[in-house]
């Protein structure tokens, strides 16, 4: 029987073929991969030409450094300078964080090993590293003899993808393969912290999938990153993770009055509203479930007929801090 021809090639780009993903990565290509947080656009972290393809596909400015993904504590040693960590007196705490939270949604910004190309770190002497908690990502990493640099698999500045289809919608014609690991279970990006030498303390660069209170239970108080670090960490840019439609956050009842007469879409934590469309993120008030559904809701409302998107302010505990952070940045005006 003749094979059914694949007319547009689209059918082919999403799949679960680890062998194909491995082969592409070994030959210097980029592949979108699932993680527990969001889908990443991965390439060999030690191959500058391959990493450059990530920046091109995402139209990402070169000043925005990437996160390096590893599968084991041994592999971290190829990426992080443990002698520098030791000299700073931070080795014990860094290792305690890795032991406690990896694999999982915590990224550590640590002194970089020489082998990591400058393109990955945007010329910084630190590198962001994490071990993802997705079985397929770990299996892929174990099959390779290099770590994977991977930012979120979305055009720069837009909402991160939490399904393989989200990736295909925006980058489908720019990348050779999307490894499908199902919908992401966390749904917001990793928490990023780093040791700041001048301030002599751990600081938060981005709230995310690991609640900050859990981290503080291991290393004590985590400070806020100073504003001067911002050019080095665009995830902290005011406008980021942003849909094209205007987003307003606050008390939805008053916002509904303010925007009366428009076609209004609402992202709500638990309850329906009298609006053109309401997406309830978790009917029974489960903040982790809300985080899991947030980006899909933003994407679907952004491609709907709505004029504006209104959103609740979420309780600040647990993943609520990350949800509020992303909504706030989604609502910041771009200029
Ligand atoms: O959950 C995640 O972290 C996802 C998945 C794919 O792992 N990745 C992700 O990557 O969100 P990306 O590139 O979208 O966001 C990484 C953030 C950027 O804002 C970048 O500026 C910051 O990490 N970053 C990377 N290296 C850094 C460094 N050395 N110092 C400070 N910030 C850094
Ligand atoms: Mg991103």
């Amino acid at each position: 029987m003749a094979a059914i021809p694949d007319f547009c090639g689209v059918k082919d780009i999403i799949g679960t073929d680890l062998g194909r993903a491995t082969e592409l990565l070994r030959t210097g290509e980029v592949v979108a991969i699932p993680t527990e947080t969001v889908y990443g656009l991965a390439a060999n972290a030690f191959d500058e030409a391959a990493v450059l393809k990530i920046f091109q596909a995402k139209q990402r400015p070169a000043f925005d450094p990437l996160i390096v993904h590893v599968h084991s504590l041994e592999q971290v040693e190829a990426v992080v300078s443990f002698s520098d960590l030791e000299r700073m007196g931070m080795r014990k705490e860094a290792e305690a964080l890795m032991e406690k939270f990896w694999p999982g949604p915590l990224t550590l910004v640590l002194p970089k090993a020489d082998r990591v190309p400058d393109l990955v770190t945007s010329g910084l002497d630190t590198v962001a590293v994490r071990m993802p908690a997705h079985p397929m990502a770990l299996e892929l990493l174990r099959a390779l003899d290099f770590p994977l640099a991977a930012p979120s698999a979305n055009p720069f500045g837009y909402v991160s993808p939490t399904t393989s289809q989200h990736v295909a919608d925006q980058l489908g014609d720019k990348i050779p393969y999307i490894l499908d690991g199902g919908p992401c279970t966390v749904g917001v990006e990793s928490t990023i912290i780093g040791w700041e030498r001048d301030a002599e303390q751990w600081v938060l660069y981005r709230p995310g999938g690991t609640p900050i209170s859990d981290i503080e239970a291991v290393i004590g108080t985590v400070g806020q990153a100073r504003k001067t670090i911002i050019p080095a960490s665009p995830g902290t840019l005011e406008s980021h993770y942003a849909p094209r439609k205007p987003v307003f956050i606050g008390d939805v009842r008053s916002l509904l009055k303010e925007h009366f007469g428009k076609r209004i879409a609402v992202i709500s934590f638990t309850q329906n509203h009298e609006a053109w469309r309401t997406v309830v993120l978790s009917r029974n008030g489960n903040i982790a479930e809300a985080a899991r559904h947030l980006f899909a809701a933003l994407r679907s409302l952004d491609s709907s007929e709505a004029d504006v998107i209104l959103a609740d302010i979420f309780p600040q505990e647990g993943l609520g801090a990350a949800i509020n952070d992303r909504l706030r940045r989604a609502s910041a005006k771009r200029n």
Side-chain angles (χ1 to χ4, degrees):
M1 204 170 81
I4 300 164
D6 174 22
F7 289 113
C8 47
V10 171
K11 196 185 74 181
D12 234 356
I13 190 180
I14 300 179
T16 55
D17 188 346
L18 271 165
R20 181 163 171 198
T22 312
E23 203 43 45
L24 284 163
L25 290 164
R26 281 197 189 119
T27 52
E29 282 305 323
V30 296
V31 173
I33 62 163
T35 82
E36 79 282 29
T37 56
V38 300
Y39 274 73
L41 186 58
N44 178 350
F46 294 147
D47 177 348
E48 209 150 2
V51 171
L52 190 59
K53 292 181 184 168
I54 297 178
F55 283 86
Q56 284 163 344
K58 274 186 64 99
Q59 296 187 296
R60 181 176 176 112
F63 64 74
D64 190 0
L66 307 179
I67 296 176
V68 177
H69 297 69
V70 297
H71 64 77
S72 66
L73 294 178
E74 291 71 52
Q75 198 176 34
V76 187
E77 292 181 34
V79 177
V80 168
S81 165
F82 276 81
S83 54
D84 283 338
L85 257 186
E86 192 102 47
R87 202 167 311 125
M88 288 153 52
M90 292 323 297
R91 183 172 181 147
K92 270 218 169 74
E93 284 187 12
E95 284 176 342
L97 289 166
M98 294 173 195
E99 299 269 350
K100 171 85 182 165
F101 295 106
W102 286 1
L106 175 66
T107 295
L108 300 174
V109 173
L110 300 172
K112 90 174 189 73
D114 290 341
R115 199 169 165 201
V116 180
D118 282 341
L119 185 60
V120 171
T121 63
S122 303
L124 297 170
D125 57 4
T126 54
V127 62
V129 61
R130 87 176 189 97
M131 191 191 294
H134 192 292
M136 224 177 202
L138 287 171
E139 200 178 335
L140 179 67
L141 281 161
R142 280 190 212 109
L144 299 166
D145 58 4
F146 47 80
L148 292 173
S152 51
N154 51 278
F156 182 70
Y158 195 70
V159 183
S160 295
T162 52
T163 66
S164 55
Q165 190 57 51
H166 290 167
V167 182
D169 288 347
Q170 291 185 302
L171 299 180
D173 59 346
K174 296 192 175 65
I175 60 178
Y177 197 53
I178 302 168
L179 193 59
D180 187 0
C184 301
T185 53
V186 175
V188 290
E189 302 86 346
S190 61
T191 302
I192 307 181
I193 64 165
W195 174 257
E196 220 162 84
R197 271 166 265 196
D198 303 345
E200 296 217 327
Q201 63 168 349
W202 290 95
V203 296
L204 177 67
Y205 294 120
R206 177 177 74 182
T210 302
I212 202 70
S213 53
D214 292 3
I215 298 169
E216 290 188 324
V218 178
I219 51 164
T221 308
V222 173
Q224 283 297 322
R226 285 168 308 142
K227 290 281 178 199
T228 49
I229 201 81
I230 280 180
S233 199
T236 65
L237 284 176
E238 267 311 301
S239 172
H240 211 69
Y241 314 105
R244 287 170 293 266
K245 287 192 198 301
V247 178
F248 298 88
I249 52 169
D251 174 52
V252 169
R253 274 170 214 278
S254 356
L255 288 173
L256 279 167
K257 285 184 199 136
E258 272 173 52
H259 293 273
F260 183 77
K262 295 181 191 162
R263 188 176 296 177
I264 300 176
V266 175
I267 294 182
S268 154
F269 187 14
T270 59
Q271 52 171 302
N272 278 323
H273 287 278
E274 297 269 324
W276 173 68
R277 190 177 294 172
T278 304
V279 178
V280 176
L281 294 187
S282 171
R283 235 166 244 293
N284 52 17
N286 179 327
I287 202 84
E289 184 184 30
R292 188 152 60 236
H293 297 148
L294 175 69
F295 287 160
L298 276 170
R299 277 175 181 260
S300 82
L301 296 180
D302 200 27
S303 53
S304 77
E305 299 290 306
D307 298 322
V308 291
I309 302 169
L310 309 182
D312 268 338
I313 294 176
F314 286 69
Q316 192 61 16
E317 73 255 19
L319 296 201
I323 297 176
N324 287 330
D325 173 80
R326 300 308 184 272
L327 284 172
R328 197 173 53 71
R329 289 182 214 288
S331 72
K333 278 207 183 59
R334 273 159 286 186
N335 44 47

